[in-house]
Amino acid sequence: MLRIHNSLAREKQAFTPIESGKVRMYVCGLTVYDYFHIGNARTLTVFDMVYRWLTTAGYEVKYVRNITDVDDKIIERANRNGEAIEALTARMVAAMHEDCDRLLMLRPSVEPRATHHIDNMLGLIGDLVSKGKAYPASNGDVYYAVREFAGYGKLSGKSIDDLRAGERIAVDGHKRDPLDFVLWKAAKPHEPHWCSCYGEGRPGWHIECSAMSRAELGETIDIHGGGWDLQFPHHENEIAQSEGASGKPFVNYWMHAAFLNMDNEKMSKSLGNVFTTREILVKLDPVQGGETVRFFLLRGHYRSEINYTWDILQEARGALASLYTALRDVPPAPAADFELDWNDPHARRFHEAMSDDFNTPMAFAVLFELRNEINRTRDGRLAALLRALGGTLGFLQADPAAFVQGMAAADETAEIEALIAARAEAKKARNFAEADRIRDEIKARGIILEDGAGGTTWRKA
Ligand code: AMP
Ligand code: ZN
């Protein structure tokens, strides 16, 4: 029996889908204005793991992950690049797919794009206006009237009055209450806009998820996921919109992935510690890289924060390589002779761990026990079991010899990182001769250095 921690109930609950054997799952996806960073990658990978495990557990899953392709950040970036919005979002969607593929994520069943669902959003806004839960303002915006929704604050555990007292909310003459949030924004010059009965405009962010979830999955869904930060206001507002319109529960199980930090600090652009997934992947061996990052992202429990440093990633790589080394040294029994038997004691413990709110650290511990046993007994059936269990979460499907060989290349990477750090130290100490010497040494290895505001990056020539 699968148990899931439901953020709304604040406890683990037995999972019972609306329709027997089927799961309707919606996850808030990316805003496509840039390459996604390693924190985004964590949330995306966590829900890929959930999707894979639900499928392994026998459910037929419809997994919807939206793409936000119109918003302030996209408009601003496209203007800055001198690029059409559609060109920027097309480029970033293609890059997102490339990076997700490298992290061995399965494609969701549907990836609806906000700009393809404007009619559905307007339909939902119309329902809310006719029920008195939303109102058009004189400036052409349409707002949600939070006071009209009795359950507002139930997910984040905040009451409307606390929110008013606690948050500094700008007073806006067009809103009836400062907490009211925008569903439809009146058109501004040089911004994308669509026709509506409220005038020309574009949707607010929150409405897209309620509208696309309703269009793809119906009024009540089984699982809704996203990063921990989205609980308030985004998911609180989604509940207000969806339940305000349908009068039915919106989501039966809310799941939130904890944050990834950088060097134990919150990742933020202003601290300059944001790394895109791509810039990490280029420094890793092509055979090992994606799976190593995936392993690093999933070996902590999804509700625990994890910390990213280069060293921690290297340590994860070594651990994963030790599983592959066992598979290289003890070839798994051929697929034709092997079927995953969930009654096997290892498989059962793996299953129990995953069924307990997707406890990947416990599940991985079973894989490491199996590795030890394979190394001791040299039993090809155990090797086949290791590969099959890893496979349920997207691991251990590469060629073991090629994976282990990648270690040499990866060690070279570690050496280059160390040289770059030494050069930075030398520069700091104003020892420019030494800094130049190290630079030449790096160059001699066929590496190009790029010094930027956020530090030095490198690539192979
Ligand atoms: P955004 O494109 O900023 O809307 O974020 C896309 C997804 O990534 C959301 O589900 C966020 O909650 C999640 N996210 C953003 N930053 C982090 C982080 N540092 N760690 C984990 N998830 C994150
Ligand atoms: Zn959303």
Side-chain angles (χ1 to χ4, degrees), residues 110-388:
V110 197
E111 291 182 283
R113 293 175 65 145
T115 55
H116 299 178
H117 281 263
I118 303 289
D119 287 348
N120 287 323
M121 296 186 217
L122 284 167
L124 185 55
I125 294 171
D127 293 351
L128 290 168
V129 171
S130 65
K131 292 194 164 183
K133 297 255 178 326
Y135 57 94
S138 58
N139 64 349
D141 288 353
V142 181
Y143 295 106
Y144 192 97
V146 291
R147 294 249 169 223
E148 302 302 322
F149 182 66
Y152 197 79
K154 64 183 173 181
L155 177 65
S156 49
K158 302 176 186 204
S159 74
I160 292 188
D161 295 317
D162 291 348
L163 283 168
R164 268 189 129 172
E167 315 252 331
R168 253 174 285 139
I169 303 161
V171 180
D172 175 336
H174 299 284
K175 293 182 184 178
R176 290 184 194 159
D177 185 296
L179 282 176
D180 290 353
F181 61 89
V182 71
L183 299 171
W184 185 256
K185 300 182 190 186
K188 293 205 192 99
H190 314 301
E191 285 190 359
H193 52 84
W194 289 263
C195 278
S196 82
C197 59
Y198 316 105
E200 309 250 290
R202 64 182 167 102
W205 173 40
H206 310 298
I207 195 69
E208 76 177 71
C209 289
S210 287
M212 294 194 276
S213 178
R214 179 166 89 166
E216 295 290 353
L217 299 168
E219 287 175 328
T220 304
I221 69 171
D222 294 298
I223 298 175
H224 189 126
W228 174 86
D229 59 320
L230 297 187
Q231 289 185 72
F232 186 84
H234 185 53
H235 290 160
E236 200 71 73
N237 292 353
E238 284 189 33
I239 294 175
Q241 294 163 158
S242 297
E243 300 192 356
S246 73
K248 297 176 192 156
F250 172 37
V251 172
N252 289 339
Y253 301 86
W254 279 98
M255 291 182 67
H256 291 99
F259 253 43
L260 172 144
N261 298 322
M262 289 276 179
D263 272 330
N264 292 314
E265 269 186 305
K266 195 175 149 49
M267 188 174 38
S268 82
K269 290 232 159 90
S270 55
L271 289 171
N273 62 354
V274 172
F275 286 94
T276 66
T277 305
R278 320 207 120 191
E279 74 189 298
I280 293 172
L281 284 173
V282 289
K283 290 184 194 159
L284 295 167
D285 174 75
V287 180
Q288 296 184 328
E291 192 170 344
T292 295
V293 175
R294 180 179 178 86
F295 179 72
F296 155 72
L297 292 172
L298 290 179
R299 70 180 179 162
H301 191 274
Y302 79 90
R303 286 191 288 115
S304 306
E305 290 192 357
I306 56 171
N307 189 35
Y308 171 82
T309 65
W310 183 253
D311 289 346
I312 293 174
L313 191 63
Q314 293 316 302
E315 192 256 307
R317 175 179 66 97
L320 180 61
S322 77
L323 299 180
Y324 269 115
T325 304
L327 293 179
R328 183 198 58 185
D329 296 346
V330 183
D337 301 341
F338 178 81
E339 206 184 326
L340 207 172
D341 173 10
W342 289 112
N343 289 317
D344 168 279
H346 294 100
R348 200 168 55 229
R349 277 190 294 121
F350 186 91
H351 199 289
E352 279 165 9
M354 290 304 294
S355 304
D356 180 17
D357 193 30
F358 309 97
N359 194 332
T360 51
M362 290 260 287
F364 287 160
V366 175
L367 301 184
F368 287 105
E369 280 170 31
L370 259 173
R371 171 202 63 188
N372 295 345
E373 233 169 284
I374 293 164
N375 289 340
R376 205 180 60 233
T377 62
R378 314 199 75 75
D379 179 342
R381 289 188 59 77
L382 285 179
L385 179 61
L386 172 62
R387 191 164 64 182

Side-chain angles (χ1 to χ4, degrees), residues 365-424:
V366 175
L367 301 184
F368 287 105
E369 280 170 31
L370 259 173
R371 171 202 63 188
N372 295 345
E373 233 169 284
I374 293 164
N375 289 340
R376 205 180 60 233
T377 62
R378 314 199 75 75
D379 179 342
R381 289 188 59 77
L382 285 179
L385 179 61
L386 172 62
R387 191 164 64 182
L389 290 177
T392 64
L393 303 182
F395 292 101
L396 302 181
Q397 304 304 297
D399 171 40
F403 193 97
V404 175
Q405 246 167 34
M407 291 300 274
D411 288 342
E412 186 200 350
T413 300
E415 282 168 30
I416 292 163
E417 294 285 331
L419 285 170
I420 290 174
R423 174 172 165 256

